[in-house]
Amino acid sequence: MLGVVLLVAGCSSGSPAEPVPTLAERGTTLTTVKPSRQDMTNKVSLDGTVTINPVFGLVAPVDGQIRYAEVKAGKGTPTKPTRAGAVWAGGRSTAIDVPAGSTFAGRLVDDRATVTAGMPVVSAEYGGYGIVAEVDGAQAYTLTDGLATVTAQITSGPGPFDCAVLGTIAALPPGTIPEPPPATVPTGQPDPSAPPQAPQQAPQQPTGSREPSAATGMRLVCTPPAGVKLINGATATLEVVTARATGVLVAPVEAVAGRQGAGKVDVVDAQGRRTTRDVVLGMTDGRVVEVKSGLTGAESLAVPGPDLPAAPRPTQGG
């Protein structure tokens, strides 16, 4: 009986073997993008509440010394601006007026104090309904850069409508309203031989009672157009446009290190080499960031962008 031995050496599909994939070297750029130009709008959304007679702050218009005016209590809501004081600098004064429709609510610094432009110096109370939105620290600097427009929507109510901003968003200290100085009445021609007498005080005229404003946190206060029906305590949403720009150079946020002011990008040349370049950054919408300077727009940028150096660790004492 003959035995049959089959030897199987293997089988092949006849195609050459594919190379085994390997990891790219550390630092290798796998994706690049080019900057582009587009219009941008910076927006911030805030939660607000309809509030009756909201308090807002007025700031010093220039650096200098503030000199307050005596503001007498009146009846009703003023229909004209009320002079609250002025800031003096270089022999010139710049007035601070409470706008019509609002009443003076307090001094926020001492009379003749040195102040800087943008510092809250007067509090005022708006006569009617306004919308108040509290502002947290993360939003403060974005909002102080500029408030181009504010649009409000009352929850399950009127809107959207334009909302006019009052004063500053800065936090306000408690206001003070000083007592008016006592008035004196002349006593006629004094007798040189008579002993000196204290001047007689004139009877005080009723000036109306005013409570100074309480301290507030950072807040945005705005007022609706006439005819918009509001209910005290109703909730609202405010969309704040802080800046607009047309045809600005932008790059994806993934390609940029930093978000405001100074930043860095990695520029990739034709041979794939990366060079870190400093850039000046502007506004961002979360997807792209404005590049104010440092790029022409023809560069290829590495994605992801450069890593910012880590803060040095404290050394252990021996």
Side-chain angles (χ1 to χ4, degrees):
M1 180 176 181
L2 298 175
V4 180
V5 179
L6 299 176
L7 298 177
V8 180
C11 59
S12 173
S13 62
S15 60
E18 296 181 0
V20 178
T22 58
L23 294 176
E25 294 183 7
R26 183 181 299 275
T28 301
T29 302
L30 300 179
T31 306
T32 61
V33 296
K34 283 188 174 292
S36 60
R37 291 192 176 274
Q38 68 175 58
D39 298 344
M40 289 191 68
T41 301
N42 235 13
K43 296 180 181 179
V44 176
S45 183
L46 302 174
D47 294 328
T49 304
V50 177
T51 305
I52 193 168
N53 300 337
V55 171
F56 62 97
L58 302 175
V59 301
V62 295
D63 297 349
Q65 184 188 83
I66 187 166
R67 300 180 187 177
Y68 287 106
E70 181 185 350
V71 181
K72 298 180 179 180
K75 296 181 179 180
T77 302
T79 57
K80 297 187 299 183
T82 302
R83 180 62 47 87
V87 175
W88 283 80
R92 300 180 61 182
S93 66
T94 305
I96 302 172
D97 292 338
V98 176
S102 301
T103 57
F104 172 79
R107 302 177 178 182
L108 302 183
V109 297
D110 293 334
D111 187 37
R112 296 182 181 272
T114 299
V115 297
T116 57
M119 178 187 296
V121 291
V122 169
S123 60
E125 185 177 275
Y126 179 72
Y129 283 118
I131 299 176
V132 177
E134 304 301 326
V135 177
D136 64 33
Q139 300 164 321
Y141 283 93
T142 301
L143 294 175
T144 54
D145 286 343
L147 300 174
T149 61
V150 177
T151 304
Q153 171 68 61
I154 307 299
T155 305
S156 301
F161 52 82
D162 291 337
C163 206
V165 177
L166 294 175
T168 178
I169 68 164
L172 306 181
T176 60
I177 299 179
E179 293 294 331
T184 59
V185 293
T187 57
Q189 186 68 27
D191 184 355
S193 61
Q197 296 182 354
Q200 298 180 4
Q201 292 188 356
Q204 293 291 322
Q205 298 295 325
T207 58
S209 61
R210 287 185 295 174
E211 290 293 330
S213 61
T216 73
M218 289 186 292
R219 51 173 20 185
L220 185 152
V221 181
C222 66
T223 58
V228 176
K229 181 179 180 181
L230 299 181
I231 299 176
N232 194 44
T235 59
T237 298
L238 299 180
E239 183 182 80
V240 183
V241 174
T242 59
R244 286 192 176 94
T246 303
V248 294
L249 189 68
V250 300
V253 295
E254 296 85 1
V256 180
R259 286 294 179 269
Q260 286 187 346
K264 294 180 181 294
V265 296
D266 276 351
V267 177
V268 181
D269 64 16
Q271 287 72 41
R273 295 184 296 247
R274 299 166 65 131
T275 303
T276 300
R277 187 180 297 181
D278 293 330
V279 292
V280 177
L281 304 177
M283 70 178 76
T284 179
D285 62 3
R287 297 181 301 104
V288 296
V289 58
E290 177 188 5
V291 181
K292 291 186 173 181
S293 65
L295 296 177
T296 65
E299 299 87 351
S300 293
L301 307 180
V303 177
D307 293 327
L308 295 178
R313 295 182 179 181
T315 58
Q316 299 293 333

